[in-house]
Amino acid sequence: MVTAVQTTDLCKSFGMTKALVGVDLAIEEGTVLGLLGPNGAGKTTIVRILATLLLPDSGQAVVGGVDVVAEPHRVRARIGLTGQETAVDHNLTGRENLQYIGQLCHLERKEARRRTDKLLEQFDLTEAGDRAVKTYSGGMRRRLDIAMSLIAEPAVVFLDEPTVGLDPRGRLAMWDFIAELTSGGTTILLTTQYLEEADKLADRIVVMGYGSVITEGTPNELKQRMGAKRIEVELYDKADASTVIDALTPFSIPGLLVQHHDRTVTVPVEEGARLLPQMVRAIDAADVSLRDVGVRQSTLDDVFLILTDQEVEKSPGIES
């Protein structure tokens, strides 16, 4: 496979704050890399550097074989970008916004019109295409913003939380369109707070925590690594949580934290069905009454919570 996007030992600080600390990423051509992490993890900083909007302090970033610092203009000709905030002109119509960006990308008028019509149809904006954008709903503006980043048919697209503000139907339509883009060979870097979205779309996932990469792998690899199963214990009294955690920690996968939220304690395990009777006996020996207990499959939400909780544990100066 050809590497379409790569960063090597990428570092960036803002004053005393280290936004990126030696980040290495690689995205294969025609695939989706999902970039996950809590707020402040450095996801948007990476996107801005790759899109030539921000200079790194050190390290290297390459898009399509072109260094983003040495030749930013060549990089811009290869990429599309959708940021967290929409970048549409509210006084123009949707059609005019698209054609204007097409002209900035040096498309011929006929080709710009063709691509505009196609994108308006793909993003369900044909009927609204000749209305001023200031009359659009928030979701419609978001769809138009993403369409504008695709007018030049870029080889690499950076989507920074693209489905924020979309309703469930709009989000599903966006997922279908992203899948269509990658099937056509487009490379995508996707940052998202919707873990279901990353699980559905990403070929590989990188989890970041406070400026550095915590782990990476396919969605299934990460779920297996963090424990394919969860034992979930619901308590009558949340005051019993610490006692239950002490009783069940020996059953958890080594190195992984037992999670606790209100009256629920969750334990990552390798073999849930086999361990369940032993764990119930351990809780009974601790003289704690249970409301419910069961085994469930791990999700990316579990992976995210475990990994980011571990980062907070290692970074006492950072509030969770």
Side-chain angles (χ1 to χ4, degrees):
M1 296 290 289
V2 177
T3 300
V5 178
Q6 185 163 13
T7 71
T8 305
D9 198 23
L10 202 62
C11 297
K12 181 66 181 179
S13 295
F14 299 98
M16 298 298 292
T17 302
K18 294 182 178 180
L20 300 177
V21 186
V23 174
D24 295 332
L25 296 178
I27 312 177
E28 293 179 348
E29 193 174 85
T31 67
V32 179
L33 179 72
L35 198 56
L36 305 182
N39 292 332
K43 306 184 299 296
T44 296
T45 301
I46 289 176
V47 170
R48 292 182 66 197
I49 289 173
L50 289 170
T52 75
L53 299 176
L54 188 66
L55 289 173
D57 294 335
S58 61
Q60 186 180 40
V62 176
V63 177
V66 181
D67 188 288
V68 302
V69 175
E71 299 181 273
H73 288 90
R74 288 185 63 201
V75 170
R76 290 170 198 147
R78 289 164 162 76
I79 67 172
L81 169 65
T82 296
Q84 292 185 20
E85 301 293 331
T86 57
V88 298
D89 188 321
H90 291 202
N91 293 315
L92 298 179
T93 67
R95 186 180 305 279
E96 287 168 341
N97 267 279
L98 284 164
Q99 291 182 346
Y100 176 60
I101 295 299
Q103 290 172 18
L104 291 178
C105 294
H106 306 294
L107 297 179
E108 294 183 358
R109 286 182 180 273
K110 183 177 180 180
E111 180 63 10
R113 288 196 297 269
R114 183 190 71 80
R115 294 188 190 182
T116 292
D117 290 341
K118 180 180 177 182
L119 287 167
L120 287 173
E121 181 180 356
Q122 286 178 318
F123 284 87
D124 195 24
L125 291 170
T126 300
E127 291 186 6
D130 294 313
R131 281 169 35 200
V133 172
K134 61 187 175 184
T135 69
Y136 285 17
S137 67
M140 292 169 69
R141 290 173 192 159
R142 191 59 174 164
R143 298 203 305 273
L144 176 63
D145 187 49
I146 295 170
M148 287 164 61
S149 72
L150 301 173
I151 188 73
E153 299 182 344
V156 178
V157 177
F158 303 124
L159 300 176
D160 197 5
E161 301 191 22
T163 58
V164 169
L166 297 183
D167 60 25
R169 186 185 302 275
R171 186 172 296 128
L172 290 173
M174 183 58 59
W175 291 0
D176 289 341
F177 188 68
I178 290 172
E180 183 181 331
L181 280 176
T182 53
S183 68
T186 304
T187 304
I188 296 176
L189 173 60
L190 169 73
T191 80
T192 180
Q193 297 289 352
Y194 301 113
L195 301 184
E196 180 190 8
E197 184 165 275
D199 202 357
K200 173 78 173 178
L201 297 175
D203 297 287
R204 292 188 65 79
I205 288 173
V206 169
V207 182
M208 295 191 62
Y210 308 113
S212 61
V213 173
I214 303 172
T215 191
E216 62 180 298
T218 67
N220 285 336
E221 285 172 351
L222 293 183
K223 285 181 277 191
Q224 290 290 334
R225 203 177 301 163
M226 294 298 108
K229 304 285 185 182
R230 321 253 106 193
I231 301 292
E232 198 167 85
V233 178
E234 187 177 350
L235 309 172
Y236 281 104
D237 188 347
K238 63 182 178 181
D240 291 328
S242 60
T243 301
V244 172
I245 289 172
D246 290 341
L248 298 186
T249 294
F251 298 94
S252 178
I253 294 175
L256 299 186
L257 297 175
V258 175
Q259 304 295 305
H260 166 227
H261 177 70
D262 197 25
R263 291 181 173 83
T264 302
V265 174
T266 306
V267 187
V269 295
E270 292 178 347
E271 300 180 63
R274 182 179 66 81
L275 290 176
L276 184 57
Q278 301 173 51
M279 295 171 74
V280 172
R281 287 194 291 269
I283 295 171
D284 187 54
D287 196 26
V288 173
S289 297
L290 301 182
R291 182 167 185 160
D292 193 19
V293 62
V295 183
R296 65 178 177 83
Q297 291 289 122
S298 293
T299 66
L300 273 187
D301 296 70
D302 299 314
V303 173
F304 182 85
L305 290 171
I306 289 171
L307 292 172
T308 53
D309 279 354
Q310 288 176 334
E311 283 299 293
V312 170
E313 289 284 319
K314 291 188 292 184
S315 307
I318 300 174
E319 295 184 3
S320 59

